[in-house]
């Protein structure tokens, strides 16, 4: 079985978000990049499947050379091979299109992406890949079990969970539940050493076609002062919410 | 020409997010002299379908024999129904997010998700969207002729706009590439992403047995319940309640945070709330820097008092 995990390199969650060049570009200065948290659940799941089913696990990303440390980390966690498509991602469509082109030439049974990336939050890449490749897509996936030919999954729906059965090849948009937080793997010394010798293939992008264009960024307006209310005067809070801000 | 809108239903009932999407489509239709065409998928009765016309849908096409969880099939239907349309509107639900990317590929249309601003010019579409887990707002322009847009919940008003309408029912059936083997839905619970009021609690509550008062407070307010990440990690509450950068991003009118410190990752997912209230024993808790109202106090003391106060006004 061949598994492909799509990895997005994102700013560490504690990062202060700033922009440069007249607010048109994300300011990478001083930012620590990490594996997108949703992708990390998927990567860990893939490594578990590798151990259980002797699967091969590749990781893929679309980005410039600056994302390579994040790919090395994925190798250190246990992936066998990394692929970087050398292109500055322009939008979800161009990113997904590149990954789909790669999959067309290299057979994969299960493609695992995150349900969204924590930077641009588009949540569109796995869905677009599924349509290009015409394969089943399970979004917000929080459970994946393989027993022989049978693939059983679960996914979050509004207010609940749905159980699904389908066939390979398929793609999921993963999240917590695929594995638990406590099961996430931290690379050990041996992993880091062997990662250095594992292949990290660089492929040139096939197109530059994109359908949307980012113009600029702004930060949400800063909130006013917090109004402190005495704990013995709860009726004041209720009055404020009911009659001043009118939210209840 | 028309603006297409996917009008999702839950067991035959529309929700606020559906009407938000119809109203959003109607605004664009009005400025560009177009009609609104609504696509409904799954069993639904005519009285419910009619409601779409109260918000501006002129043509309502219903496919009762197709199931909404057949997202590949739904995408095909929407594509076929959009021959005369160059803009397709979705809300931001799980179901919509599984369909919209497929539609965008079929129509070679740019996809813009989490949209929080209206479209003022159909010929040159640019909108604002939430990004960086609500730490930033991105302005983005469509380069393709056709566009697919998903709108953020609670970002737009639902206003009545009664129009004349016609309903077409189509009996098409379509195979699905996934089969649904089970379903587990919390009946009667308010959907967290759509809720106007959310009561949320963190590790300050000490243990899962103390959530009774949180649920009671939520009941008084008609609110959904949420929690911080560690609370769902230790299993005090289900994962589906986890809000923040790595959980759900929400934007209710009122967010009440009880015993939550206000870490940057937590705030990222809730900062778009219109009003935030923090209740915390620690006057230095970072949440007070982000909140609109703060109470320094013990949740076990403050929450029951708040419930009493709300019961008083509910009784009047
Ligand atoms: C990669 C990453 C992603 C993350 N993503 C998220 C995310 O999406 N969502 C999220 O929530 N967190 C996230 N976190 C975790 C985040 O950093 C915080 O650790 C977490 O939000 C803290 O949860 P808490 O406020 O419930 O607990 P704590 O930080 O332990 O705070 C408990 C608070 O309760 C107060 N308190 C204690 N007793 C009482 C009482 N009796 N009455 C009132 N107040 C009381 C305390 O003063 C304290 O402020 C993430 C962390 C990382 C590293």
């Amino acid at each position: 079985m061949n598994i492909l995990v799509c990895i997005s390199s994102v700013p560490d969650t504690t990062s202060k978000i700033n922009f440069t060049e007249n607010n048109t570009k994300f300011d990478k200065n001083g930012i620590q990049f990490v594996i997108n948290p949703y992708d990390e659940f998927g990567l860990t799941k893939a490594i578990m499947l590798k151990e259980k089913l002797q699967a091969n696990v590749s990781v893929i990303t679309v980005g410039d050379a600056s994302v390579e440390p994040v790919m090395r980390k994925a190798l250190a966690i246990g992936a066998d091979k990394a692929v970087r498509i050398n292109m500055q991602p322009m939008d979800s469509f161009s990113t997904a299109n590149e990954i789909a082109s790669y999959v067309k030439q290299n057979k994969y049974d299960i493609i695992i992406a995150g349900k969204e990336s924590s930077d641009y939050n588009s949540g569109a890449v796995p869905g677009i890949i599924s349509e290009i490749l015409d394969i089943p897509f399970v979004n917000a996936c929080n459970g994946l079990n393989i027993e022989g030919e049978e693939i059983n999954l679960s996914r979050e729906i509004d207010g609940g969970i749905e159980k699904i059965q389908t066939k390979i090849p398929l793609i999921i948009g993963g999240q917590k539940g695929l594995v638990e937080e406590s099961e996430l793997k931290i690379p050990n010394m041996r992993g880091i050493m062997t990662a250095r010798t594992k292949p990290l293939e660089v492929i040139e992008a096939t197109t530059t076609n994109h359908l949307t264009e980012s113009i600029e960024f702004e930060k949400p307006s800063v909130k006013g002062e917090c109004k402190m209310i005495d704990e013995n005067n709860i009726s004041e809070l209720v009055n404020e919410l009911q009659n001043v801000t009118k939210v209840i | 020409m028309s603006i297409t809108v996917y009008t999702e239903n839950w067991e035959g009932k529309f929700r606020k997010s559906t009407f938000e999407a119809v109203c959003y489509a109607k605004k664009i239709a009005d400025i560009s002299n177009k009609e609104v065409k609504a696509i409904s998928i799954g069993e639904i009765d005519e009285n419910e379908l009619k409601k779409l016309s109260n918000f501006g849908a002129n043509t309502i096409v219903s496919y009762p024999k197709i199931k909404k969880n057949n997202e590949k099939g739904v995408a095909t239907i929407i594509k076929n129904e959009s021959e005369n349309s160059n803009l397709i509107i979705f809300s931001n639900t799980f179901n919509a997010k599984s369909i919209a990317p497929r539609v965008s590929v079929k129509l070679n249309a740019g996809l813009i998700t989490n949209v929080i601003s209206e479209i003022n010019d159909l010929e040159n579409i640019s909108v604002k969207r939430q990004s960086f887990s609500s730490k930033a707002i991105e302005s983005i322009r469509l380069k393709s002729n056709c566009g697919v847009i998903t709108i953020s919940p609670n970002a737009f008003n639902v206003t009545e706009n009664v129009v004349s309408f016609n309903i077409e029912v189509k009996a098409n059936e379509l195979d699905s590439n996934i089969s649904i083997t089970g379903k587990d839905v919390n009946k009667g619970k308010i959907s967290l992403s759509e809720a106007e009021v959310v009561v949320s609690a963190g590790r300050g509550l000490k243990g899962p047995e103390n959530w009774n008062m949180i649920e009671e407070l939520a009941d008084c307010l008609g609110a959904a319940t949420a929690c911080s990440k560690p609370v769902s990690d230790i299993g005090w509450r289900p994962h589906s309640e986890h809000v923040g950068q790595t959980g759900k991003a929400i934007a209710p009118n009122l967010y009440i945070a009880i015993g939550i410190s206000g870490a940057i990752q937590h705030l990222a997912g809730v900062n778009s709330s219109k009003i935030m209230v923090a209740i915390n024993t620690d006057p230095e808790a970072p949440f007070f820097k982000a909140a609109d109202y703060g109470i320094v106090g013990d949740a076990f003391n403050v929450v029951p008092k708040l419930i009493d106060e709300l019961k008083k006004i509910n009784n009047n």
Side-chain angles (χ1 to χ4, degrees):
Chain A
M1 171 160 293
N2 289 318
I3 302 175
L4 182 66
V5 184
C6 307
I7 302 273
S8 170
S9 160
V10 299
D12 173 65
T13 53
T14 54
S15 309
K16 293 260 184 303
I17 304 297
N18 289 304
F19 299 96
T20 59
E21 297 178 40
N22 279 328
N23 290 326
T24 59
K25 294 252 151 43
F26 173 62
D27 186 356
K28 294 185 177 175
N29 214 336
I31 298 282
Q32 168 100 30
F33 282 84
V34 297
I35 299 176
N36 177 36
Y38 297 110
D39 305 346
E40 208 177 339
F41 292 110
L43 176 62
T44 306
K45 181 75 201 186
I47 304 302
M48 287 177 174
L49 291 172
K50 172 181 159 165
E51 285 156 9
K52 188 175 156 206
L53 306 166
Q54 279 78 50
N56 279 306
V57 177
S58 311
V59 288
I60 191 167
T61 194
V62 177
D64 60 24
S66 71
V67 304
E68 287 192 1
V70 166
M71 298 309 274
R72 285 280 172 217
K73 184 174 173 204
L75 292 171
I77 288 172
D80 302 298
K81 169 185 153 181
V83 178
R84 174 171 73 81
I85 297 174
N86 189 26
M87 180 182 92
Q88 195 60 48
M90 303 296 281
D91 66 354
S92 315
F93 179 78
S94 61
T95 308
N97 202 24
E98 290 303 325
I99 297 172
S101 305
Y102 180 81
V103 175
K104 277 182 193 161
Q105 275 151 31
N106 301 271
K107 199 182 147 293
Y108 285 97
D109 304 294
I110 300 183
I111 307 168
I112 302 180
K115 73 164 187 179
E116 66 178 44
S117 65
S118 64
D119 48 5
Y120 293 96
N121 311 120
S122 285
V125 167
I128 294 174
I129 296 174
S130 79
E131 182 64 25
I132 297 176
L133 299 174
D134 194 16
I135 57 176
F137 168 42
V138 177
N139 197 22
C141 182
N142 53 14
L144 165 63
N145 260 306
I146 304 174
E147 296 297 338
E149 292 288 286
E150 218 167 77
I151 315 267
N152 287 296
L153 305 104
S154 66
R155 70 174 169 193
E156 187 171 0
I157 56 172
D158 293 292
I161 279 181
E162 213 165 46
K163 305 263 179 223
I164 289 172
Q165 221 166 57
T166 187
K167 294 199 181 70
I168 54 170
L170 81 146
I171 181 163
I172 68 168
Q175 61 168 340
K176 186 153 73 178
L178 272 180
V179 302
E180 291 307 315
E181 189 84 18
S182 55
E183 296 173 298
L184 290 177
K185 290 188 193 297
I186 298 159
N188 56 23
M189 210 48 199
R190 212 181 113 244
I192 295 168
M193 296 305 283
T194 51
R196 290 189 191 152
T197 59
K198 287 179 181 173
L200 197 166
E201 205 180 310
V202 180
I203 298 177
E204 286 311 313
T206 53
T207 70
T208 50
N209 189 14
H210 56 113
L211 302 174
T212 62
E213 185 173 39
S214 183
I215 310 166
E216 59 171 2
F217 294 89
E218 63 197 277
K219 295 216 256 173
S221 48
V222 193
K223 289 238 167 183
E225 277 279 288
C226 179
K227 181 164 183 174
M228 299 308 289
I229 289 169
D230 190 278
E231 62 167 315
N232 296 313
N233 198 6
I234 303 289
S235 57
E236 188 191 342
L237 174 67
V238 173
N239 180 48
E240 285 274 338
L241 298 177
Q242 203 176 19
N243 302 316
V244 181
T245 47
K246 297 192 166 59
V247 286
I248 59 172
Chain B
M1 290 289 278
S2 54
I3 310 291
T4 309
V5 51
Y6 170 55
T7 48
E8 180 178 0
N9 72 71
W10 285 258
E11 254 100 69
K13 292 274 175 275
F14 296 124
R15 286 194 190 159
K16 195 180 80 177
S17 63
T18 315
F19 300 128
E20 285 171 349
V22 178
C23 291
Y24 187 87
K26 175 64 178 160
K27 281 229 169 93
I28 313 159
D30 280 347
I31 56 160
S32 55
N33 250 326
K34 289 189 162 54
E35 302 236 293
V36 174
K37 180 176 188 176
I39 317 285
S40 170
I41 302 291
E43 289 286 345
I44 190 161
D45 68 43
E46 203 171 304
N47 279 333
E48 190 70 13
L49 283 175
K50 267 188 198 162
K51 288 185 188 163
L52 299 172
S53 71
N54 294 342
F55 302 97
N58 312 90
T59 304
I60 300 164
V61 190
S62 171
Y63 287 85
K65 298 213 162 127
I66 293 177
K67 295 213 158 61
K68 76 172 183 183
N69 51 33
N70 174 7
E71 288 115 359
K72 178 183 148 90
V74 178
T76 304
I77 296 287
I78 293 175
K79 183 222 161 196
N80 292 343
E81 290 288 349
S82 300
E83 253 168 27
N84 274 320
S85 173
N86 55 2
L87 187 63
I88 331 289
I89 310 296
F90 289 85
S91 36
N92 232 0
T93 61
F94 284 104
N95 181 237
K97 282 175 151 176
S98 301
I99 302 167
R102 286 189 177 272
V103 174
S104 79
V105 174
K106 287 182 190 294
L107 295 170
N108 198 30
L111 169 64
I112 309 179
T113 57
N114 306 337
V115 169
I116 54 165
S117 77
E118 278 160 10
I119 292 173
N120 301 317
D121 178 2
L122 195 56
E123 300 306 311
N124 187 5
I125 292 180
S126 69
V127 283
K128 293 185 180 185
R129 63 182 296 274
Q130 295 280 15
S131 72
F132 289 90
S133 307
S134 308
K135 290 180 195 168
I137 296 164
E138 181 184 19
S139 295
I140 188 162
R141 179 164 46 224
L142 197 66
K143 288 186 67 207
S144 49
N145 291 329
C146 186
V148 175
I149 282 194
T150 78
I151 61 168
S152 281
N154 285 333
F156 302 98
N157 293 333
V158 171
T159 37
E160 282 222 349
N161 199 335
V162 182
V163 296
S164 63
F165 66 98
N166 71 302
I167 297 180
E168 281 172 58
V169 179
K170 299 193 178 173
N172 302 40
E173 293 179 47
L174 279 176
D175 287 340
S176 178
N177 60 8
I178 56 173
S179 46
I180 309 295
T181 54
K183 199 166 161 178
D184 192 358
V185 187
N186 298 327
K187 283 242 159 61
K189 274 225 164 191
I190 296 163
S191 147
L192 178 54
S193 336
E194 278 184 47
E196 291 183 2
V197 179
V198 173
V199 175
S200 186
R203 209 147 48 174
L205 271 251
K206 316 259 187 305
E209 65 282 5
N210 297 324
W211 249 263
N212 286 343
M213 64 176 186
I214 300 300
E215 300 211 321
E216 192 180 352
L217 176 59
D219 276 347
C220 291
L221 290 162
T225 49
C227 67
S228 68
K229 175 170 176 283
V231 163
S232 75
D233 285 345
I234 14 180
W236 293 357
R237 301 295 292 176
H239 288 328
S240 57
E241 285 198 0
H242 158 200
V243 291
Q245 182 151 6
T246 53
K248 286 197 176 63
I250 55 170
N253 294 337
L254 173 62
Y255 182 75
I256 304 182
I258 302 161
I260 298 178
S261 56
I264 184 168
Q265 298 97 345
H266 184 85
L267 293 176
V270 300
N271 242 339
S272 309
S273 309
K274 292 194 182 85
I275 297 292
M276 295 203 285
V277 176
I279 300 171
N280 199 305
T281 41
D282 175 7
E284 302 294 320
F287 218 119
F288 291 123
K289 296 214 169 64
D292 300 275
Y293 298 104
I295 296 179
V296 177
D298 189 329
F300 296 97
N301 178 20
V302 175
V303 173
K305 280 200 233 166
L306 182 54
I307 292 171
D308 285 345
E309 218 33 72
L310 289 166
K311 279 191 176 154
K312 268 191 232 159
I313 58 166
N314 283 352
N315 286 340
N316 284 339

